[in-house]
Amino acid sequence: MQDIFERSGFRVGGPAPGLEPRLLRADAERLDGYRAAGGYRPAGDPEALLEQVRRSGLLGRGGAGFPLAVKLAGVRAAHQRGSGTVVLANGEEGEPASIKDKWLLRQRPHLVLDGLRLAAGVVGAERAVVYLSDPAAARSVDAALTELDSSGIEAPPIELVLVDPTYVAGEETAAVRAVQGGPALPSDKPPRPFERGVAGLPTLVSNVETLAHLPFVHAHGGDGFRAAGTEASPGTFLATVSGGGRPAALYELPHGLPFTELLALHGVSPDSVRGALTGGYFAGMVDRAVLDVTLEHSTLRAIGGGLGCGAFSLITTECPVAVAAAVLAYFDRENAGQCGSCWNGTAAMAAAAGALRDGTATDEDVARLRRWSVVLRGRGACGTLDGATNAAATLLARFGADVATHLTGTCPTCADGPYRAERPFEVHPEVRP
């Protein structure tokens, strides 16, 4: 199995981290080592690189899985029409169950900056931004930028924007608002950032993991990138795995890997798995059907889940009803407070799920939760309300037997007290000082 060092062509050293059930760890890379291993190659013809990105089929790693080449082409077209353009590396990791972006920014800052430089070259940007909320990552990127400033490497001016961490701060329009000095809150769309973003200019907003794959595509071409993964989901991705009674871990995996192989890698028996949160909180929960899937966008969507940001939280000893209630309570606390449908809808769903967890809900409460999970979808300015409806809908669709035991007060898992967590399956960074 290839890890992110080998896939990028810029191995730092030490054991292949993706082969051990722990967080990927390494000393933060330095410019001299990154360049010696082949980093910051001359950018070359931007149209040729864009064509290789098209051939690679590289999909965004921030959650939506949108093709990077389409984003690049849209902003490049604006540049060719004479417009100024901006590139923004989005490292504000809102999902508590994900750690990949923080790890990349802390440990592989030059890999991310190299990808940002290449993206800027394709779209003709004269301004670039790294947007994040983790102070340790900000220090690492700042140190890398200091090295880059005196290196002679051609790159647009790159600024660092640090914001407070919230679930909504990583949404692309929230990132644009924050970079311009406003609150890190989503705004109505259209226009989208690729149409009018930072300073009113067409702006490429791309997740830092997505950008971290660009140096590999640049060095080895689109076909080289496709050597791993599947036809529809090419390449590798970073997977944050939590739960199952094991320490949280970060792996680089090829798309298409059977979910059971990830369990084996992580040291968890399939027999103990009741289900999982897939793609972070946003995609909701799946039951034991997850044991039969491969890790790619289409197979996870087919069972009602999603690959999303690559976070998988294993539900083993926890009650799925209690997990869903905790996720819905989180969405209720974290909504931006800007849309009435989201403000009221997340609160109502969280209250209904909390009552179900505590054994005080009625059949009518469950019916209302089911209705809200349908009629509230798509009503908010960002994805928070959709994430909440996903949590409610997947609970009711996949865990009906568990819902029934809570209506009768006979859930054996919750007999000694239900699972409660303000940030379910939260993963904390583990980086040496």
Side-chain angles (χ1 to χ4, degrees):
M1 182 182 300
Q2 293 172 309
D3 63 60
I4 197 166
F5 302 114
E6 293 171 336
R7 286 285 293 168
S8 305
F10 314 134
R11 188 176 177 85
V12 173
L19 301 181
E20 300 178 21
R22 59 176 174 80
L23 286 176
L24 280 167
R25 293 175 66 172
D27 292 327
E29 66 189 349
R30 299 294 302 273
L31 176 62
D32 53 357
Y34 182 72
R35 292 190 75 178
Y40 292 117
R41 296 159 57 94
D45 177 23
E47 191 61 49
L49 177 55
L50 177 57
E51 177 57 28
Q52 290 306 315
V53 177
R54 287 194 186 99
R55 291 178 64 87
S56 75
L58 174 57
L59 303 176
R61 301 301 198 253
F66 192 78
L68 177 63
V70 175
K71 278 191 173 184
L72 287 169
V75 180
R76 177 170 171 78
H79 163 67
Q80 291 175 319
R81 293 192 298 267
S83 173
T85 59
V86 180
V87 291
L88 191 156
N90 190 353
E92 204 301 294
E93 198 162 29
E95 286 278 3
S98 179
I99 198 63
K100 67 184 183 69
D101 295 339
K102 293 182 182 69
W103 186 87
L104 281 168
L105 291 165
R106 288 181 177 202
Q107 306 304 108
R108 301 301 315 272
H110 282 293
L111 180 64
V112 173
L113 293 175
D114 196 4
L116 181 62
R117 173 190 71 106
L118 292 170
V122 170
V123 304
E126 297 180 356
R127 180 183 180 188
V129 181
V130 178
Y131 174 77
L132 72 177
S133 63
D134 177 38
R139 290 192 294 271
S140 179
V141 174
D142 188 52
L145 287 173
T146 299
E147 290 185 302
L148 199 57
D149 285 343
S150 58
S151 68
I153 295 170
E154 186 174 350
I158 301 174
E159 60 191 276
L160 192 59
V161 175
L162 180 67
V163 297
D164 292 331
T166 65
Y167 184 78
V168 299
E171 197 271 344
E172 62 176 5
T173 61
V176 168
R177 289 181 74 180
V179 168
Q180 297 182 128
L185 296 173
S187 57
D188 290 333
K189 299 173 283 291
R192 292 188 176 274
F194 77 89
E195 298 167 312
R196 187 165 70 246
V198 175
L201 300 175
T203 300
L204 175 77
V205 181
S206 188
N207 172 259
V208 295
E209 184 193 345
T210 312
L211 294 172
H213 284 286
L214 269 184
F216 184 89
V217 174
H218 182 226
H220 302 287
D223 292 339
F225 184 81
R226 283 185 171 275
T230 68
E231 179 65 25
S233 296
T236 65
F237 71 100
L238 290 175
T240 311
V241 185
S242 57
R246 302 285 295 167
L250 182 67
Y251 307 100
E252 186 177 23
L253 307 173
H255 285 111
L257 184 81
F259 185 79
T260 50
E261 289 193 24
L262 174 58
L263 291 180
L265 185 66
H266 197 58
V268 174
S269 168
D271 295 338
S272 68
V273 176
R274 301 178 69 170
L277 287 164
T278 63
Y281 296 172
F282 179 83
M285 303 189 301
V286 295
D287 57 12
R288 283 177 58 81
V290 74
L291 298 175
D292 299 322
V293 303
T294 53
L295 300 177
E296 53 192 308
H297 290 278
S298 60
T299 56
L300 285 163
R301 281 196 299 266
I303 63 168
L307 187 60
C309 63
F312 296 91
S313 301
L314 308 175
I315 301 171
T316 53
T317 60
E318 303 84 6
C319 171
V321 172
V323 170
V327 170
L328 282 163
Y330 173 82
F331 281 130
D332 180 32
R333 292 191 305 272
E334 288 289 315
N335 77 74
Q338 297 185 130
C339 305
S341 56
C342 184
W343 175 267
N344 295 313
T346 56
M349 286 189 286
L356 184 63
R357 175 199 60 210
D358 297 337
T360 60
T362 64
D363 289 334
E364 289 74 19
D365 292 322
V366 173
R368 281 191 288 270
L369 184 61
R370 190 182 307 278
R371 180 170 60 84
W372 289 329
S373 75
V374 175
V375 301
L376 292 176
R377 190 177 301 276
R379 290 196 179 186
C382 68
T384 302
L385 187 54
D386 284 351
T389 59
N390 288 340
T394 54
L395 169 68
L396 298 173
R398 291 284 178 173
F399 297 95
D402 297 287
V403 171
T405 63
H406 275 264
L407 284 171
T408 58
T410 59
C411 175
T413 307
C414 295
D416 295 328
Y419 169 84
R420 297 177 187 271
E422 287 198 356
R423 298 162 69 89
F425 301 102
E426 181 179 18
V427 180
H428 297 279
E430 292 181 16
V431 179
R432 290 174 292 192

